Amino acid sequence: MSLPPEKASELKQLIHQQLSKMDVHGRIREILAETIREELAPDQQQLSTEDLIKALRRRGIIDDVMKELNFVTDNVDQELPSSPKPVGFTDRQSTLLKKTNIDPTRRYLYLQVLGGKAFLEHLQEPEPLPGQACSTFTLCLHFRNQRFRSKPVPCACEPDFHDGFLLEVHRENLGDGTRMADSTTMLSISDPVHMVLIKTDIFAETTLVASYFLEWRSVLGSENGVTNLTVELMGVGTESKVSVGILNIKLEMYPPLNQTLSQEVVNTQLALERQKTAEKERLFLVYAKQWWREYLQIRPSHNSRLVKIFAQDENGINRPVCSYVKPLRAGRLLDTPRQAARFVNVLGYERAPVIGGGGKQEQWCTLLAFLCRNKGDCEDHANLLCSLLLGYGLEAFVCVGTKAKGVPHAWVMTCGTDGTITFWESLTGHRYLHKPTSPDEPSAAEQPKPLYPYRTIGCVFNHQMFLGNCQPSDSVESCVFDLNDESKWKPMSEEAIKSVCAPGATTSLPPFPPLCASTIDASVTSNEIEMQLRLLVSEHRKDLGLTTVWEDQLSYLLSPALASYEFERTTSISAGNEEFQDAIRRAVPDGHTFKGFPIHFVYRNARRAFATCLRSPFCEEIICCRGDQVRLAVRVRVFTYPESACAVWIMFACKYRSVL
């Protein structure tokens, strides 16, 4: 990037001033004299530039200069939320903050991560060689509708985090949002900074390492509005009591506070909030126990139903299930409820990891942890889909029950204004209409078996309601979803739910982050995967003693089919198939045979996709095709969704002359 002449001269002047300040010229003269005295042979007349540079580097002069010359660099990828928010950046010298493009009428919290230590799991990790692929740590942040992501750093016992995040401490719904927030106002803002640490291995597989809620308001009572913190990160799930590492964090208010609060005032406010939250949670627990006793008195068999009032998050904290759901608007990132269902479907599915046997480990993730990891369990998918459908104005609920063989499962249900009940499977994007059947009716045996995979249902909930199924049978087939009928569905008090689940009701409630636009370039990624697959196919055929001839035109003709498949997944409408079939008929001469095999993935690892394709006998038949005038084709189409989720469609095809 070239600089204008005036900027270049200004930069030179700044560097010259800094070098003079460090007396670099004097130090170079000393080293030059010393080097000539010690190292120059009597027969040599001059010292080369390379010799001098080596001497400077050996004595650490170059490193000292580079440390002092810290340029403003964009070390942070700010993720783009669905509503415009301030820009994040990294800057190691807080004095340079004034030179950045920020609104001087707003108050900012500048959060710097100045390295990590005691990540003991990586104690034996060798230092990666330059250019060598290695596992990395990435830190993701959310604060008051703003999302940030650090640069990935190699996993190590002391990971080299050096990132800064500029968080706007804006005020909402106060009527005077244009005024800068003062200390007293900021003290009443109880939103924490949610920090999620993700590990990405060399195969691009992600693991949730830690999830931490940073209480930032201690900076309001510190001198000069600057404070340094040591944050101990704990593990997740079964390891939530085990330390995984420590981060050194520096907090600074910008512009500096005119008036800081006393630390006693800050501590009193935080203690009052904790006390208020604890009391609300205690009262809700007392109410929930009473509700459960009443529910069991209706029918003793209710004890075996999946009525889930509380669920553990990734930090092992029990929270009301209603707090995992909230109306979520996707801005302009998703246009329809069905597109939202497709987006949730392409996020990866992974059961919570468990050490040893003993069945399923329960772990409902907070939304930020789920989105940053880009994969989660069925409950995470159902909570996100329900939140998005609520955002679209639908009456949506998360259903908790079982699938075949009594496997616990969660899915989503919407209730139409005409009484239509629709089930949404968040893991596949499929939708099913529900029509209750009565086992007492003589025609019940003749009724078609339902298409949905669900067997029993124990409860339904959203952000405002929780209802336990108290019908004689908990079978989904015979269930009546008249949620207003208290003889069929026992409701919890909406006021009780609101006291602990409404936004801002308690300080322990994690705020919901906005969705971020995809950072993946669909065309570039499609081309990369396609080139890699061509190489893998050619190598595989070479091992079998077969030559490979690619036909680009045939590959191009496969594009409409892939677009049609994705359109059908999103809308449940099939379109464009006639044109594709007509084009293929024209491209395949008489006496030739055409074979095609489409397959769908939600990851972008070409080698892993190829290995999966070879396990299909249909695909293997195409890739290993033998015959006369064999021509191969492959087409890849990547469809991007928010949070850098993607649907990857691959189609392998071949045409060859039929020899009888």
Side-chain angles (χ1 to χ4, degrees):
M1 189 178 78
S2 59
L3 285 171
E6 64 272 17
K7 289 283 182 191
S9 61
E10 184 185 341
L11 186 61
K12 284 177 187 173
Q13 192 179 354
L14 284 169
I15 293 172
H16 181 73
Q17 285 172 2
Q18 189 65 40
L19 294 177
S20 303
K21 188 171 144 189
M22 295 171 64
D23 192 25
V24 169
H25 297 98
R27 291 165 73 184
I28 289 175
R29 274 195 294 272
E30 287 172 18
I31 287 169
L32 182 58
E34 188 181 319
T35 307
I36 289 171
R37 191 168 56 250
E38 293 176 4
E39 298 179 15
L40 196 61
D43 56 332
Q44 275 186 278
Q45 295 300 312
Q46 59 183 15
L47 195 68
S48 70
T49 310
E50 287 79 5
D51 293 333
L52 181 57
I53 294 288
K54 278 180 193 170
L56 292 173
R57 195 182 295 280
R58 200 163 54 239
R59 286 161 177 79
I61 300 294
I62 291 175
D63 288 343
D64 288 349
V65 172
M66 293 313 292
K67 277 178 191 169
E68 287 295 321
L69 294 175
N70 273 330
F71 300 101
V72 181
T73 54
D74 185 9
N75 271 0
V76 159
D77 303 328
Q78 158 137 37
E79 302 185 338
L80 300 173
S82 50
S83 54
K85 288 292 166 198
V87 176
F89 72 103
T90 289
D91 180 3
R92 295 191 189 176
Q93 281 187 298
S94 54
T95 53
L96 296 176
L97 279 175
K98 295 170 186 172
K99 295 186 179 179
T100 60
N101 184 23
I102 60 174
D103 185 348
T105 65
R106 293 294 182 103
R107 184 77 70 189
Y108 295 90
L109 173 68
Y110 184 43
L111 186 154
Q112 295 178 77
V113 185
L114 304 173
K117 57 187 178 184
F119 284 79
L120 299 179
E121 193 176 321
H122 301 278
L123 192 59
Q124 305 299 326
E125 201 107 343
E127 273 211 22
L129 299 169
Q132 180 189 4
C134 65
S135 299
T136 58
F137 283 139
T138 308
L139 197 60
C140 306
L141 272 73
H142 168 235
F143 178 69
R144 291 177 76 73
N145 226 31
Q146 303 159 78
R147 298 256 315 262
F148 299 86
R149 182 187 289 267
S150 74
K151 266 194 169 178
V153 299
C155 292
C157 183
E158 296 187 357
D160 189 27
F161 286 112
H162 275 96
D163 277 320
F165 309 93
L166 195 68
L167 315 175
E168 186 188 329
V169 189
H170 58 279
R171 300 182 293 173
E172 294 170 344
N173 306 323
L174 293 178
D176 57 351
T178 54
R179 281 177 48 209
M180 189 182 289
D182 57 17
S183 303
T184 313
T185 307
M186 288 191 289
L187 188 59
S188 66
I189 297 174
S190 60
D191 294 33
V193 179
H194 190 184
M195 305 169 71
V196 168
L197 184 63
I198 300 292
K199 178 183 174 181
T200 309
D201 68 15
I202 56 173
F203 304 108
E205 287 295 312
T206 55
T207 311
L208 178 62
V209 178
S211 174
Y212 184 83
F213 294 94
L214 176 69
E215 178 49 76
W216 58 275
R217 286 175 289 176
S218 58
V219 75
L220 301 176
S222 57
E223 262 188 80
N224 307 321
V226 180
T227 188
N228 289 287
L229 304 172
T230 301
V231 168
E232 184 179 18
L233 301 177
M234 308 304 280
V236 295
T238 52
E239 298 175 31
S240 59
K241 301 288 185 287
V242 181
S243 173
V244 292
I246 291 169
L247 292 180
N248 295 319
I249 289 174
K250 181 180 177 183
L251 298 176
E252 184 175 356
M253 296 308 303
Y254 181 81
L257 297 169
N258 299 326
Q259 182 183 0
T260 57
L261 303 170
S262 75
Q263 200 63 54
E264 192 182 347
V265 169
V266 175
N267 292 341
T268 304
Q269 171 71 15
L270 300 182
L272 282 170
E273 286 178 4
R274 282 195 294 269
Q275 190 181 339
K276 195 175 171 185
T277 295
E279 181 60 14
K280 283 185 176 181
E281 289 175 345
R282 186 188 69 80
L283 290 173
F284 182 76
L285 181 60
V286 169
Y287 170 76
K289 283 181 175 178
Q290 176 62 28
W291 183 93
W292 177 244
R293 277 195 296 270
E294 292 170 2
Y295 182 70
L296 292 182
Q297 284 169 9
I298 298 171
R299 211 173 277 109
S301 61
H302 285 180
N303 195 35
S304 61
R305 293 191 181 182
L306 278 176
V307 179
K308 194 149 195 61
I309 304 170
F310 295 93
Q312 280 192 359
D313 66 10
E314 66 266 24
N315 291 326
I317 295 169
N318 268 319
R319 290 171 39 208
V321 290
C322 297
S323 68
Y324 289 90
V325 174
K326 176 194 161 187
L328 182 64
R329 286 166 57 172
R332 301 193 184 277
L333 300 179
L334 297 167
D335 296 319
T336 66
R338 295 192 188 191
Q339 196 179 12
R342 178 61 174 154
F343 156 59
V344 176
N345 155 222
V346 297
L347 288 169
Y349 168 64
E350 181 182 83
R351 292 177 63 169
V354 60
I355 299 170
K360 182 181 173 183
Q361 165 68 28
E362 181 187 82
Q363 181 182 302
W364 291 30
C365 279
T366 54
L367 183 55
L368 184 68
F370 176 39
L371 294 176
C372 294
R373 192 167 58 131
N374 241 230
K375 59 185 177 186
D377 213 331
C378 61
E379 294 89 357
D380 302 323
H381 286 79
N383 290 334
L384 175 56
L385 179 55
C386 183
S387 297
L388 288 166
L389 296 183
L390 287 167
Y392 281 111
L394 301 178
E395 189 181 9
F397 296 87
V398 175
C399 304
V400 179
T402 62
K403 293 195 295 185
K405 297 180 182 175
V407 176
H409 190 62
W411 66 97
V412 178
M413 168 183 84
T414 52
C415 307
T417 50
D418 59 353
T420 305
I421 300 298
T422 308
F423 293 149
W424 303 63
E425 177 46 65
S426 57
L427 296 179
T428 62
H430 293 157
R431 298 162 67 253
Y432 309 97
L433 283 176
H434 174 263
K435 291 176 183 172
T437 60
S438 173
D440 302 327
E441 289 181 17
S443 58
E446 300 166 17
Q447 292 180 356
K449 197 179 176 187
L451 298 171
Y452 49 77
Y454 319 120
R455 293 292 174 264
T456 67
I457 182 164
C459 64
V460 300
F461 67 88
N462 61 19
H463 62 304
Q464 293 175 327
M465 300 170 70
F466 183 95
L467 301 122
N469 181 6
C470 52
Q471 296 170 62
S473 167
D474 61 353
S475 165
V476 177
E477 283 183 47
S478 59
C479 195
V480 176
F481 287 93
D482 180 2
L483 301 181
N484 296 316
D485 186 344
E486 293 193 14
S487 68
K488 293 183 171 60
W489 294 93
K490 179 172 172 56
M492 265 196 174
S493 159
E494 289 189 29
E495 285 302 314
I497 292 169
K498 197 184 291 182
S499 71
V500 286
C501 296
T506 65
T507 52
S508 62
L509 205 61
F512 266 50
L515 295 182
C516 289
S518 178
T519 56
I520 296 170
D521 185 318
S523 301
V524 170
T525 310
S526 300
N527 281 336
E528 285 175 355
I529 297 173
E530 194 169 304
M531 290 301 108
Q532 290 170 22
L533 286 174
R534 280 194 176 203
L535 195 63
L536 289 166
V537 170
S538 298
E539 285 176 353
H540 186 74
R541 287 177 61 84
K542 188 179 176 183
D543 291 344
L544 297 173
L546 301 170
T547 57
T548 306
V549 182
W550 295 101
E551 187 170 312
D552 289 342
Q553 176 62 13
L554 185 60
S555 296
Y556 180 71
L557 295 184
L558 304 178
S559 296
L562 301 183
S564 175
Y565 299 147
E566 183 61 21
F567 182 75
E568 187 175 352
R569 286 287 180 103
T570 309
T571 62
S572 305
I573 299 166
S574 178
N577 203 33
E578 301 83 358
E579 294 87 345
F580 167 65
Q581 290 181 355
D582 189 59
I584 293 298
R585 286 192 192 102
R586 289 174 179 278
V588 179
D590 287 344
H592 283 64
T593 300
F594 170 85
K595 288 180 180 178
F597 177 79
I599 191 166
H600 165 256
F601 298 100
V602 294
Y603 51 81
R604 306 189 301 279
N605 186 324
R607 194 171 288 277
R608 182 178 160 195
F610 183 66
T612 305
C613 291
L614 283 178
R615 285 200 288 271
S616 163
F618 301 106
C619 187
E620 205 235 358
E621 190 180 319
I622 292 169
I623 291 170
C624 306
C625 180
R626 298 168 183 265
D628 187 21
Q629 298 178 25
V630 175
R631 298 292 180 269
L632 292 171
V634 62
R635 193 66 170 171
V636 176
R637 179 73 166 87
V638 174
F639 297 88
T640 58
Y641 287 91
E643 299 296 329
S644 298
C646 59
V648 179
W649 282 97
I650 301 172
M651 192 167 189
F652 290 100
C654 68
K655 66 175 186 181
Y656 58 92
R657 189 174 176 187
S658 306
V659 180
L660 296 175

